[in-house]
Amino acid sequence: MTALNRLSVRARITIGTLLLAAVFFGSVSLLVRQQVDQIVKNAAFEVLQDDAVPFETAIQQEPNEPADNPGEGQLVAVIDPAGTTKTSTLPASITSNMALIDLADTGPQQVSAGGATYMVAVETVQTRAGNWTIISARNQNESALVLTDLTAGLTLGLGALTLLFGAVSWHLIGAALRPVTQLRRSAEAIVASGTEELLPVGPAKDEITDLARTLNRLIDDLRASASRERQLVSDASHELRTPLAVLQAQLELLRAGDRSSIDSDIAGAERATTRLTELVESLLELSRLDAGRPPTPTTVGALVDEAGEAIDRARLRAMSDDVEIDLIVPDRAEHEAPVAMPALLYGRVLDNLLSNALRALDGKGQITAAIRWDPPNLTTIVADNGPGIDPEFLPHAFDRFSQADKVRGTADGSGLGLAIVAAAAASVNGTVTLENAADSGLIVRLTIPVLQLDVR
């Protein structure tokens, strides 16, 4: 089996078809030989019966007269009721072994005597004087030679037909696999040249065309993924450069020994370090989400508890501001329902949404987070009465490192908060949308699938 696995698909299929053809043609050959053998035996037995007919007629017409002599080539023996042989042309090898013949059996019998095989037929003729017995025989060696020649002919003919079948299968399979070979060569050419081309898709509506389309979609996804990776590295490098430069400048000032600004330099270094930490944590979170690991389900109650902690963290950050933050939760009857998003990830999502809302309010305003039981989803709505988002920026709000600084406050964010929210929603087959409120502010709507519903 290991050696067979090393062969090409074309060779393996051809070998399989050859084996099937050999079994089929071998079975046909055996069946034909058996049929011919039976036909020959039936014909020989009919001839033996015909050889006995003249003697039967003669005995019935003149039972007291000796029977006529058999014709040339006929092997016949006529025995009267007393057991006396009246006429016999049977070979001496049969005559001396008459005990081998069952005189009561009226069917064909095989008798081997004197190095030859004979077919023997026994006929009984009833008369007033008693029962006469007619024994007719025929040498089967010639029939055996005919069957031997037939077997050899069938073996050669069907063997040649099997080889022809294998050759035809080899060429047909090669023709069927030729488009696959062309796809492989096209893929090698694309890899070697580095072009943005796709694999050629033929006009036929077959499996090869479906394979080409599937591979093209895979190539598009891989190219898009590679493009996102390059963009992420570029954006991350750009975002990391600023805090690193600030941190380096502050450290250089500290080393210069200007004690009058040491407190402000340390504060600036701390802010740069905090920004670096946030960027790294956000990038790690996006990396985990992009890895596609299956989420750990939790319950609505766990998400409600996590939402309460996220609200407390947001209130702590806004302690010195004139900002009101409220939380609306569903009835406790739904708290045991399972949902797809893990509680910690849900808390990170709310932290990002609430942080964005706090930056937009710039120290004054109202934020409301509402969790609604809306089967088959659990919906979370975070709304604020800030300035909202420029409608032209809305389609790009979930892009990584994108910020609408002029509308939603200062540029102290990383531009990764909404990207993490979108990736978290996608990881559990949920959705997240943004829309400006009718009067002012922004409304963020997050839907999380409920895994099962207890309908009673």
Side-chain angles (χ1 to χ4, degrees), residues 93-140:
S93 57
I94 295 180
T95 305
S96 60
N97 293 281
M98 292 295 288
L100 298 176
I101 302 174
D102 185 0
L103 299 180
D105 188 358
T106 58
Q109 302 180 47
Q110 297 287 339
V111 176
S112 297
T117 301
Y118 296 90
M119 177 179 283
V120 176
V122 179
E123 296 288 343
T124 301
V125 182
Q126 295 179 353
T127 64
R128 292 180 180 179
N131 294 333
W132 289 68
T133 302
I134 303 173
I135 301 174
S136 54
R138 181 173 291 272
N139 194 322
Q140 293 294 95

Side-chain angles (χ1 to χ4, degrees), residues 177-191:
L177 294 177
R178 191 172 297 116
V180 178
T181 302
Q182 293 175 350
L183 284 178
R184 178 181 58 80
R185 292 174 179 172
S186 298
E188 291 175 348
I190 291 174
V191 172

Side-chain angles (χ1 to χ4, degrees), residues 10-28:
R10 184 180 186 183
R12 280 182 282 172
I13 295 177
T14 301
I15 291 173
T17 55
L18 274 174
L19 292 177
L20 289 176
V23 172
F24 174 75
F25 290 135
S27 301
V28 170

Side-chain angles (χ1 to χ4, degrees), residues 39-80:
I39 291 173
V40 170
K41 289 180 179 180
N42 292 338
F45 184 66
E46 290 178 0
V47 170
L48 293 178
Q49 289 178 322
D50 292 340
D51 289 345
V53 168
F55 300 94
E56 293 178 12
T57 303
I59 292 171
Q60 289 174 351
Q61 291 177 353
E62 299 180 5
N64 296 323
E65 294 293 332
D68 295 336
N69 292 326
E72 184 179 357
Q74 288 184 330
L75 303 179
V76 179
V78 179
I79 304 173
D80 64 11

